[in-house]
Amino acid sequence: NASLLGILQHPDGTVLKQLQPPPRGPREQEFYNKVYDSDCCDSILLELREYLPKYFGVWSPPTAPNDTYLKLEDVTRKFNKPCIMDVKIGQKSYDPYASAEKIQQQVSKYPLMEEIGFLVLGMRVYHVSSDSYETQNQHYGRSLTKETVKDGISKFFHNGYCLRKDAIAASIQKIKKILEWFEGQEQLNFYASSLLFVYEGSCQATTVRLGEVTLAEKRGMPKGLLSSRDILEYNNNIHVINSTENGKIEASVGKGLSKFYALHKKAYSKRHHSQLSLKVENLEQGNVWKSSTCIAQEHLNGNVIPQLEKVFCHMPAEIKESVSVEVRMIDFAHVFPSKTKDEGYIYGLKNLITVLQNILDN
C-alpha cells in the first residue's frame, strides 16, 4: 500500500514521506510543525489533529543527512487487508500563487475538478474471492465523468462479493466530521490536498457490534438459515473464527452484554462444496446454552455461505460505528493562511458525501 502513497513504511509503525523540493516540502513541514506544536492552544488546530496522521517530526538517513523525510503515523497499520483510496479534494488543485502555466497544467489534468470538486488519485481494493488486490492508478480517476463518478467510487467499496455498505456509511460519518471542522474555521485554505480512505478488506477483522435485538429479528435473516430457537436469542458474545488448519469454522461462545459477530470469508470460496462444522464450546457451567438449541444442524452445508455473505456484507448504517474505517487528510504542500472559509474544499466534501450517499441509497 505504500507504493500507492509514494511513501516508505518503517518497521516502527510510521511512514516516511520524503520532503518535496522547495517551496512545497518546507511548506508541508511548516504546516505539520504548526498543527503539532506542543505549545499549540488554538482549539481549531487541536481538533484538526484528529483528522491528520500523527506527526513525529522529521528524519534523515545517517548516510544522506540532506534528505529529509516527514515521519508520520501509518494509518493502514492496524488493518489486516487494508483497502486504500486517495481522493484529492477541492475545486482547484492549484494554489493562489500558481503561475499561469501551472494553472493550465493542473486544469488540463482534470478539467472536471471545478464541477465535481474531487478527483480519485488511486485505489487498492482487496477482493475476498481471489485473495488479491485490484489497484487503479491516477488515470482511472481522471477518466471519471459526472455520470460515471458514482460507479467509479463504488468500485472502491466492492470486494468481489458485495458492496461494503458498512464501510460507505462509516466513511460518510467521518467526512461529515471533517466538513464540520471546515465550516467552523477561517484560517487555513487547502489546495491539492487529499483524503486517505482505509477500510478493512478481510472479514476476519470485521467485527460487527449489535444491540440487544436479535440479528434475526432486526435484519430479516434469510429463512432457514438458523432455527428460530437458535443462538441469536441468547445474550452472548459469539466469535466465529476461521481456523485454517482444519478448514473448520469454530464458534467460541462466552456470556456478555452485546453480541459480536466476526466472519472470515477466505475459507468460503475455497470450500463451498465442503461441509463447515460449527463447534460450540461451553465456556461456563450452568450454561444457558443447550447443545440442541445452539445450532440447528451440527453441520451447516456450503449453501448457507452465500446467505451469510448477504447478511454480513449488507450491514445497515446503524452499526457503522463498529466498522474499522479511517478517513484522514494528507498532503499539505499547498496549505495557506486565509481569512475566509475554504469554499472549494467544502464544495468537494459536500459533493463527495452526496455521491457516497447515492451509492448507499441505491
Side-chain angles (χ1 to χ4, degrees):
N1 49 12
S3 60
L4 171 67
L5 314 173
I7 46 187
L8 302 167
Q9 278 171 310
H10 192 287
D12 67 4
T14 62
V15 290
L16 298 169
K17 178 182 181 182
Q18 188 158 22
L19 219 58
Q20 294 167 276
R24 291 176 299 163
R27 203 186 287 130
E28 182 160 37
Q29 184 182 345
E30 195 186 328
F31 169 80
Y32 275 113
N33 284 339
K34 181 179 174 171
V35 175
Y36 283 93
D37 187 336
S38 55
D39 296 330
C40 175
C41 53
D42 179 338
S43 61
I44 283 170
L45 296 184
L46 292 173
E47 189 195 335
L48 179 58
R49 292 179 186 179
E50 294 174 40
Y51 311 122
L52 311 185
K54 289 189 187 72
Y55 173 62
F56 302 100
V58 291
W59 177 86
S60 295
T63 50
N66 295 330
D67 285 356
T68 307
Y69 292 82
L70 298 170
K71 203 166 161 60
L72 301 165
E73 169 191 8
D74 179 359
V75 180
T76 69
R77 191 182 195 206
K78 67 176 184 182
F79 295 87
N80 179 22
K81 299 286 185 189
C83 298
I84 305 167
M85 177 170 65
D86 182 338
V87 183
K88 189 191 280 191
I89 306 289
Q91 289 177 285
K92 298 179 169 69
S93 53
Y94 52 89
D95 67 49
Y97 305 96
S99 65
E101 108 195 89
K102 177 70 178 174
I103 292 174
Q104 179 51 44
Q105 178 214 359
Q106 284 299 321
V107 171
S108 65
K109 274 188 187 173
Y110 193 58
L112 293 168
M113 196 76 184
E114 192 85 28
E115 192 184 357
I116 294 176
F118 61 84
L119 165 63
V120 176
L121 292 178
M123 65 172 72
R124 182 169 179 272
V125 187
Y126 178 68
H127 280 191
V128 183
S129 42
S130 58
D131 186 23
S132 63
Y133 283 95
E134 182 187 353
T135 49
Q136 300 292 347
N137 64 16
Q138 55 185 333
H139 300 293
Y140 174 79
R142 285 191 214 151
S143 73
L144 299 176
T145 65
K146 220 181 152 185
E147 288 69 43
T148 61
V149 71
K150 179 182 156 191
D151 289 341
I153 283 197
S154 70
K155 193 182 191 72
F156 174 62
F157 294 99
H158 206 289
N159 65 9
Y161 272 128
C162 64
L163 187 65
R164 286 287 305 274
K165 290 196 167 191
D166 55 337
I168 300 171
S171 297
I172 291 171
Q173 294 312 114
K174 303 239 172 189
I175 302 169
K176 281 182 174 172
K177 292 287 290 177
I178 294 171
L179 176 59
E180 276 175 34
W181 182 84
F182 270 90
E183 295 278 21
Q185 69 90 21
E186 296 189 347
Q187 54 174 289
L188 293 170
N189 280 6
F190 295 74
Y191 301 91
S193 184
S194 285
L195 286 184
L196 184 71
F197 290 78
V198 191
Y199 72 88
E200 180 55 69
S202 102
C203 281
Q204 189 174 24
T206 309
T207 305
V208 180
R209 204 176 287 113
L210 293 172
E212 295 310 299
V213 192
T214 74
L215 181 72
E217 287 166 1
K218 195 165 177 184
R219 304 293 163 241
M221 184 73 90
K223 283 194 185 67
L225 180 55
L226 294 163
S227 74
S228 56
R229 10 156 243 177
D230 69 343
I231 34 177
L232 301 169
E233 290 169 7
Y234 292 102
N235 196 6
N236 279 271
N237 285 345
I238 302 167
H239 299 278
V240 182
I241 303 143
N242 174 53
S243 63
T244 40
E245 304 79 46
N246 56 13
K248 289 181 179 174
I249 289 182
E250 300 192 350
S252 67
V253 181
K255 207 169 174 202
L257 285 173
S258 62
K259 309 182 186 78
F260 289 86
Y261 299 84
L263 271 187
H264 183 215
K265 288 200 188 155
K266 195 172 163 191
Y268 298 175
S269 54
K270 307 242 187 347
R271 304 199 181 86
H272 258 166
H273 53 282
S274 69
Q275 297 215 318
L276 295 162
S277 76
L278 277 167
K279 186 178 79 181
V280 176
E281 294 164 2
N282 292 336
L283 300 181
E284 296 179 297
Q285 290 167 331
N287 200 304
V288 289
W289 291 72
K290 305 177 199 72
S291 52
S292 61
T293 57
C294 284
I295 301 235
Q297 317 136 272
E298 198 189 334
H299 295 278
L300 290 173
N301 64 23
N303 64 3
V304 172
I305 300 308
Q307 293 179 293
L308 282 175
E309 293 288 357
K310 279 192 208 112
V311 175
F312 286 93
C313 268
H314 298 286
M315 280 300 179
E318 306 97 87
I319 43 180
K320 59 186 171 282
E321 295 77 19
S322 62
V323 179
S324 193
V325 171
E326 286 284 357
V327 179
R328 303 286 186 98
M329 296 168 62
I330 57 168
D331 295 342
F332 306 112
H334 303 274
V335 177
F336 294 89
S338 159
K339 292 192 169 59
T340 60
K341 276 192 198 177
D342 191 339
E343 295 297 352
Y345 200 107
I346 288 171
Y347 175 94
L349 290 179
K350 286 182 172 172
N351 197 33
L352 183 54
I353 290 168
T354 301
V355 169
L356 290 170
Q357 194 62 53
N358 283 341
I359 296 169
L360 206 52
D361 294 343
N362 258 18

